[in-house]
Amino acid sequence: KLGVRRLGLYARLCGFRGSDRQWAGQYLALCRKHGWDAASSDPDAKQFAYLVDDEAGGGYCTDDELHELLAEVAAHPPVLQTR
């Protein structure tokens, strides 16, 4: 499952430049928009795929863009901090 931190990493790779606090607000807005229950469970892989495939949404990426993101992550693996 994806959570606020993992989905935030994707958002930052796609160009999100806000603070962690701003991202938390955006994450909650995404949860409301897509019917995800942020309090009890995070979006799963199927829900993430819908987000990425939704051409009208802010999380849309083409297959080529996803391949570029994967290459970037492979070259420079991110560190997900636990809190």
Side-chain angles (χ1 to χ4, degrees), residues 4 12 16 18-33 38:
V4 66
R12 290 186 195 304
F16 179 79
S19 68
D20 288 345
R21 186 181 187 120
Q22 289 169 319
W23 169 246
Q26 289 294 315
Y27 178 77
L28 291 176
L30 280 172
C31 289
R32 283 190 299 274
K33 178 180 178 181

Side-chain angles (χ1 to χ4, degrees), residues 2-14:
L2 299 167
V4 66
R5 289 187 191 107
R6 287 183 177 152
L7 204 53
L9 173 60
Y10 173 73
R12 290 186 195 304
L13 287 168
C14 292

Side-chain angles (χ1 to χ4, degrees), residues 15-83:
F16 179 79
R17 297 291 177 248
S19 68
D20 288 345
R21 186 181 187 120
Q22 289 169 319
W23 169 246
Q26 289 294 315
Y27 178 77
L28 291 176
L30 280 172
C31 289
R32 283 190 299 274
K33 178 180 178 181
H34 294 285
W36 304 335
D37 184 0
S40 63
S41 67
D42 294 317
D44 59 24
K46 185 176 180 179
Q47 291 165 322
F48 176 71
Y50 178 81
L51 175 75
V52 171
D53 289 339
D54 179 12
E55 292 184 29
Y60 175 73
C61 273
T62 65
D63 288 346
D64 288 341
E65 290 168 330
L66 286 174
H67 286 285
E68 289 175 23
L69 291 177
L70 287 172
E72 183 177 334
V73 168
H76 306 284
V79 176
L80 289 175
Q81 298 175 355
T82 57
R83 293 184 189 181

